[in-house]
Structure formats: C-alpha cells, structure tokens
Amino acid sequence: GCSDAQVDEDGDGVCDPNAPSGGPSGCIDSDECPGTTIPESKVPSVKLGRNRWALVDGDGMFDTKSPKGKGPRSKGKGPHHSFSITDTHGCSCEQIINTCGYGKGHKKFGCSNSVMKAWSDPAGSYCK
C-alpha cells in the first residue's frame, strides 16, 4: 500500500487529488489546497478576531475568539460554528483568501464566518 506521505503530502489529513488510497492514517476527501501549512504563519497578521477563523495551532481545527457579552448577537454562548481542515477541503484561511482575492481585513484578523461557511458548503462555489 501507499505511505501517508504518498497520499497526503502536506499531512493535513485530506488526501491529495487522485490519491490511490487513504494511506495508513486514512486521509479523506480531496485536497483542494496541496501544500497547506498548519498552523498558518501569515494569518492572522495582527490578531485573531471575534468570529474570525484561522489555523493557529496544530490540531486541524480552525480557531476563533468568542464574542463578548450577553447581548442578542452573542447570546452568551460563544461561536455557533466550528470548522476543520476537512470542512475546508484541505485549505487554510490564507489559501482561501488568496484563491478568492479577499482583502486585508481577512489577512489581519482571520477569515469571517461568511467566508468559512461559503468555502465549506458542499453545494457552494467556494468563494462568496
């Protein structure tokens, strides 16, 4: 069989396009962004914002800062979503920004909820 490095070159858990198998670790899906670096090194360039998403540690889950307070927007419950590297088809926030041509706000503070939802939607067109 194939080694993990042969089917998932960047080691993000999402199989390289046209991988013949899932390898010993069982990668899934098809990697739309080969070469992903986890954690990201350039996003966020300032700080991770509230309801903004980036891969800031090595766990393959996008991180965010919860909204403060208990008003109608935050409902006192923190983020209402979660996103993994599998949800984004192997793409980091930085790769999504570059692919879609999003502005400096996303680079400074991370990808917004709407960007992450659009990119993760299986029926979507990735860029909103």
Side-chain angles (χ1 to χ4, degrees):
C2 297
S3 71
D4 284 337
Q6 290 173 305
V7 297
D8 182 17
E9 189 173 328
D10 58 11
D12 62 3
V14 183
C15 299
D16 294 340
N18 302 316
S21 73
S25 296
C27 62
I28 57 171
D29 205 3
S30 179
D31 201 334
E32 297 292 329
C33 299
T36 303
T37 301
I38 302 173
E40 299 185 59
S41 60
K42 296 181 181 177
V43 175
S45 64
V46 175
K47 67 178 183 176
L48 188 61
R50 288 186 186 92
N51 294 314
R52 297 295 191 116
W53 302 86
L55 295 164
V56 299
D57 53 34
D59 66 2
M61 293 298 295
F62 283 81
D63 301 280
T64 190
K65 282 194 174 182
S66 298
K68 288 185 177 180
K70 296 183 179 177
R73 293 177 145 240
S74 70
K75 296 188 172 77
K77 297 179 182 175
H80 299 284
H81 313 285
S82 66
F83 302 97
S84 70
I85 192 70
T86 304
D87 294 330
T88 60
H89 315 283
C91 301
S92 67
C93 176
E94 180 180 3
Q95 291 168 315
I96 294 168
I97 291 166
N98 292 338
T99 299
C100 297
Y102 295 132
K104 292 180 182 176
H106 293 282
K107 289 182 181 176
K108 288 180 181 179
F109 305 111
C111 288
S112 68
N113 281 333
S114 60
V115 164
M116 295 298 290
K117 287 180 193 176
W119 192 269
S120 300
D121 183 354
S125 60
Y126 293 138
C127 300
K128 66 174 191 106

